[in-house]
Structure formats: structure tokens, C-alpha cells
Amino acid sequence: MSKKATSTKRERDPAATRQRLIDATVRLMLQQGFSGTSVDQICKEAGMTKGGFFHHFENKEALGIAAIESWGRMGTALYAESWQDSTLDPLKQLHRMFDIMVGFTRRNDDAVVCMVGMMSQEMSATHPAFQAACEKELNLWTENVAKLLTAAKKLHKPKTKFDPFQVAWFLNSLWQGSMLIGKTCRSQQLIRDNLKLARDYVDGLFQAN
């Protein structure tokens, strides 16, 4: 297929073209951050011209926000297996959530990374739009986990008093921090060990049946 035919086909599917740019941005930003990624690199990665880029996004920041939102939707979909099955014991749903997280560490990628965590560190202090986008995704994860903890409190007798949202934020912080340290120390096992401790901690909040 000629370049002209390929370009025409993309123009007929603007949603797919837009997603192509977002996917390229995610790949590059996971490797080298937002500041280290140029529009030229994104266009090359996506196989597009700058004209095509600016047809879909006003600037690189707008595309970066879209990349965070896309990553959030993808992550939520991956966790949905544990969050959406209301017939399961909520504590078992939390166990399934931890299993999904451990599964991320068993892929062939060099490191377990999170776009939201990376952009929170790099951009939150200087770009309010990035801060808001990252905060939204972190809040969503925390809210879903807090719902499960709240439901577990109703079904299982707590061993100690605890605030589901405080525990959910603790788990979110542990997950994000573990990915950061695991990447730095190049240890997937470290992340798995931390998740095992987190799971044991959650189980320890409730009395054994």
C-alpha cells in the first residue's frame, strides 16, 4: 500500500488516528518521560506528520493529558475483573485484585511502571492540568478499593477499627511506591513481596471466619 493510500485510510478514521498518537505517546513517555519526548518523536513513532498531529491535538500537553486518561481507562478495565463481580465476597475480590497486580510483575517487560505515577512525579508540581488528571486516576483507584473494604467490613467482623479510605490510600501509595523502587532496583520480586505483605495486612484487618 502506498504512503498516500495509507494516509487517506487514516484520515477516514479520525478516532483510530487519534488513538495511534495516544498509544505512541504512552510508549515513549513510559520510556523517557514527558519532557524527554518531543512532538517529532511522537509523530515518527505513530507514523504521522506534524500536520496530522496538530489536526488532533492543540499541543504536546493536550496529548499528554489524553495519554494519562487513556492509561487510566486501560488500567480500570484490567482491574474490572475483581471490582465488578458483585457476587464475590468483597475480601476475595480484594485478593483477586492483588493477584492481578502480581500478574503485572510476571510480564516480559523490563519494569512494572505506571503512567499516572510517572507523570505525577514529573509534572504535578509545574503543570496543574497534569496534576488534576493524575489525581483523578489515583482517586478512582482508591475509591474502588475503598468500596471493597467497606463491603468487607459489613460481611466480616473487623479485628480492629479502620477507615476504608485511609487503608485504600495506603494500598495505593504502597503500589505506586513499589513500582518506583522495583524499577530503580530492577526487582520484580520486591514488588511481589510488598504485595504479599499488603494482602496479609488487609486480611489481618478482619477476624478469621
Side-chain angles (χ1 to χ4, degrees), residues 8-176:
T8 301
K9 185 177 180 180
R10 288 175 183 170
E11 288 169 3
R12 291 174 181 170
D13 193 352
T17 302
R18 187 177 189 275
Q19 190 61 47
R20 185 191 300 272
L21 283 165
I22 291 172
D23 292 343
T25 301
V26 168
R27 289 192 296 271
L28 290 170
M29 290 170 68
L30 287 175
Q31 295 172 6
Q32 56 200 36
F34 179 81
S35 298
T37 299
S38 68
V39 171
D40 286 335
Q41 288 175 322
I42 294 169
C43 291
K44 182 178 179 180
E45 180 75 12
M48 294 181 60
T49 65
K50 272 191 175 181
F53 175 97
F54 288 110
H55 175 75
H56 291 278
F57 294 97
E58 181 180 357
N59 49 42
K60 189 178 81 166
E61 180 173 298
L63 178 53
I65 299 300
I68 292 171
E69 294 171 346
S70 179
W71 179 271
R73 288 191 297 272
M74 179 272 294
T76 299
L78 291 174
Y79 287 115
E81 180 185 346
S82 64
W83 288 342
Q84 293 182 352
D85 188 353
S86 59
T87 65
L88 265 184
D89 179 326
L91 199 52
K92 291 188 180 298
Q93 288 181 274
L94 286 163
H95 289 169
R96 184 174 289 184
M97 182 193 75
F98 283 119
D99 289 340
I100 291 170
M101 293 156 77
V102 169
F104 296 153
T105 73
R106 300 193 184 281
R107 297 179 175 181
N108 294 325
D109 300 335
D110 292 336
V112 180
V113 293
C114 175
M115 169 73 76
V116 175
M118 288 181 63
M119 293 303 101
S120 293
Q121 288 185 309
E122 182 182 353
M123 307 299 293
S124 287
T126 55
H127 290 69
F130 273 86
Q131 183 274 328
C134 291
E135 182 179 21
K136 178 182 176 182
E137 300 303 331
L138 292 172
N139 275 324
L140 179 60
W141 192 96
T142 302
E143 288 167 4
N144 280 303
V145 175
K147 288 177 183 177
L148 293 181
L149 288 165
T150 300
K153 283 183 74 173
K154 295 179 180 178
L155 187 63
H156 301 278
K157 187 175 181 180
K159 186 181 293 185
T160 184
K161 292 183 179 180
F162 69 89
D163 182 327
F165 269 94
Q166 286 183 341
V167 173
W169 274 118
F170 163 71
L171 295 174
N172 199 343
S173 302
L174 181 143
W175 176 223
Q176 290 292 338

